[in-house]
Amino acid sequence: MNKSLKRLILFCGTAAMSMSALSAMQVSSNDISHGDFMAKAHEFNGFGCTGEDKSPQLSWSGAPEGTKAFAIMAYDPDAPTGSGWWHWQLVNIPLDVTSLPTDAGNPSGKNAPEGSLQIENDYGVAGFGGACPPQGDGAHRYQFTVHALSKKLDLNQSASGALVGYMVNAHTLDSATIESLYKR
């Protein structure tokens, strides 16, 4: 293979990777950072935890064409349950919403986007339930994933975490995750 052809292949591959990176969804937050520990404001208030139970501010961009709604899933894969722990499942966020304020997951629903639906978390509350790893269990990972959905989901507030996860994954066009840590 001649030098010019090798350069063209390398250029095309690099350009394709760059274009892919530009079109991929991204998520950010003013309250949490990827790989860093969350503040006590995001700790649950109950089960021996004494936090403020506030969901973090989240912003996202780069949703692909065909997106009809968004979903946010907050999950602790390190919970000692055998199946992790769902802290927040917010679905059917309108297409024109690309940012949520701190405490958007308040169970009162007053801070959630109009038309969205908060599903019962593993605490049994329809809204955000903060971090509350067992005392001395070490750092747990808290994954906040924003999903671009191909359609609004037909779910109700008491749908199981498994059903919501199935529906979200079945209709995800793209997603982005920010993972923070917490320990007590």
Side-chain angles (χ1 to χ4, degrees), residues 34-143:
H34 192 77
D36 289 339
F37 283 89
M38 292 188 287
K40 185 134 177 122
H42 310 296
E43 181 182 290
F44 187 63
N45 190 347
F47 287 35
C49 292
T50 58
E52 296 176 40
D53 212 14
K54 292 183 176 182
S55 59
Q57 182 278 336
L58 296 170
S59 297
W60 56 93
S61 62
E65 241 181 87
T67 300
K68 303 290 187 224
F70 297 101
I72 295 176
M73 310 287 276
Y75 179 71
D76 172 6
D78 303 314
T81 63
S83 60
W85 192 270
W86 290 107
H87 288 268
W88 192 23
Q89 296 176 65
L90 177 64
V91 300
N92 297 337
I93 301 167
L95 185 58
D96 63 344
V97 175
T98 58
S99 183
L100 296 179
T102 302
D103 203 28
N106 189 303
S108 73
K110 67 181 181 182
N111 299 335
E114 191 173 327
S116 64
L117 176 66
Q118 296 197 99
I119 308 292
E120 287 182 11
N121 59 37
D122 282 341
Y123 294 114
V125 175
F128 177 76
C132 187
Q135 189 78 36
D137 201 37
H140 282 216
R141 295 169 292 155
Y142 295 86
Q143 300 165 342

Side-chain angles (χ1 to χ4, degrees), residues 32-38 139 141-142 177-182:
I32 60 174
S33 298
H34 192 77
D36 289 339
F37 283 89
M38 292 188 287
R141 295 169 292 155
Y142 295 86
T177 301
I178 186 169
E179 182 179 88
S180 287
L181 306 171
Y182 202 78

